Amino acid sequence: MSCACLSVKSAVFKKSPKSSMMNQLEAYKNKRDFSKTPEPQGLTGQKQNGMVYAVQKHHAKTLHYDLRLEMSGVLKSWAIPKGPSADPSQKKLAIPTEDHPLDYAHFEGIIPPGQYGAGTVILWDRGTYKNHKDDISLQQALKQGKLEIFIDGQKLKGSYVLLRTGKENDPKPRWLFIKMKDDYADASANLTQTHPQSVLSGKTIEELEEENS
Ligand code: MN
């Protein structure tokens, strides 16, 4: 099988499809045919301890990384074309994409040809994160365009900032994902090069593609 999804122990299992979270996932669902793609449908609203952080490496039309942060019952998402860095001098372009369901943070596999985002996905990093500021909520910070967070992943660690460039209502918003200076900052690190493997399967994206070709 192409999907190495983790089984998730869910503390809360919501059956009602009419929650606001479901409406938040409309764009996600409209783009996908779940009879053809192995990606999660986001039916369950699984809740876990801590707030989920994940980065997926996604070889679609172009190779990129997808940053996912749990917020308000979904995964807020940004595509990072060049991948994240532990070097504070590197300002990484991060383009907002549609909210994804929480269980997407466990997804690894092949999105079939013809489907939205067709290509190979590995779970490049995962863990938890928290708000680095106590005077502003994550939701407010997102709206204002400056999220300061503390990431506890297997590869990314420490404080990071997501910074929107331009105005709030810009139809094509652009953000920057930047490592903040702390004990985890490392100007010589090149994590995407030195740590290419999935934290789920241990495979590189090339190995997963090879297996499924
Ligand atoms: Mn992607």
Side-chain angles (χ1 to χ4, degrees):
M1 281 301 290
S2 58
C3 177
C5 309
L6 276 188
S7 65
V8 179
K9 283 176 199 157
S10 62
V12 178
F13 190 86
K14 286 182 190 161
K15 279 184 179 167
S16 166
K18 287 181 181 166
S19 66
S20 62
M21 183 200 67
M22 292 302 153
N23 297 335
Q24 276 178 273
L25 292 174
E26 218 172 294
Y28 174 84
K29 291 181 178 179
N30 287 342
K31 286 170 192 261
R32 291 169 175 80
D33 179 350
F34 294 108
S35 68
K36 296 190 175 137
T37 179
E39 296 165 288
Q41 295 185 47
L43 295 175
T44 56
Q46 283 140 341
K47 191 80 194 134
Q48 299 155 78
N49 293 328
M51 286 196 295
V52 172
Y53 144 81
V55 174
Q56 277 143 334
K57 186 177 179 182
H58 184 187
H59 189 194
K61 258 181 252 164
T62 56
L63 184 70
H64 61 273
Y65 293 76
D66 290 296
L67 171 66
R68 318 242 184 240
L69 298 175
E70 176 182 358
M71 211 183 298
S72 311
V74 293
L75 294 173
K76 293 289 168 190
S77 299
W78 290 260
I80 304 178
K82 295 191 172 168
S85 176
D87 176 359
S89 74
Q90 302 266 321
K91 296 177 170 66
K92 299 293 194 158
L93 176 65
I95 303 155
T97 56
E98 77 274 19
D99 294 346
H100 279 53
L102 287 184
D103 45 3
Y104 207 94
H106 304 278
F107 177 72
E108 172 163 313
I110 310 289
I111 303 172
Q115 295 305 297
Y116 183 76
T120 311
V121 176
I122 62 166
L123 188 55
W124 184 78
D125 196 18
R126 74 168 163 207
T128 57
Y129 86 102
K130 62 186 181 190
N131 189 356
H132 205 41
K133 307 280 280 183
D134 49 20
D135 58 346
I136 184 168
S137 72
L138 286 169
Q139 287 80 359
Q140 282 175 306
L142 184 75
K143 203 167 166 4
Q144 291 180 13
K146 189 181 182 186
L147 267 178
E148 290 180 55
I149 57 175
F150 188 92
I151 293 176
D152 187 11
Q154 294 183 37
K155 294 174 184 173
L156 298 197
K157 285 186 187 294
S159 42
Y160 278 81
V161 63
L162 270 159
L163 208 56
R164 187 174 56 222
T165 64
K167 296 197 177 89
E168 185 187 337
N169 51 7
D170 190 330
K172 285 192 172 177
R174 294 283 181 274
W175 293 60
L176 296 170
F177 185 52
I178 311 164
K179 180 79 190 81
M180 294 166 78
K181 286 178 184 164
D182 63 13
D183 289 348
Y184 299 101
D186 184 354
S188 67
N190 192 345
L191 295 172
T192 54
Q193 294 298 310
T194 56
H195 294 73
Q197 301 93 345
S198 160
V199 294
L200 183 60
S201 63
K203 291 170 190 163
T204 63
I205 205 155
E206 292 82 8
E207 285 167 346
L208 194 60
E209 278 170 357
E210 185 101 340
E211 277 176 22
N212 288 276
S213 63

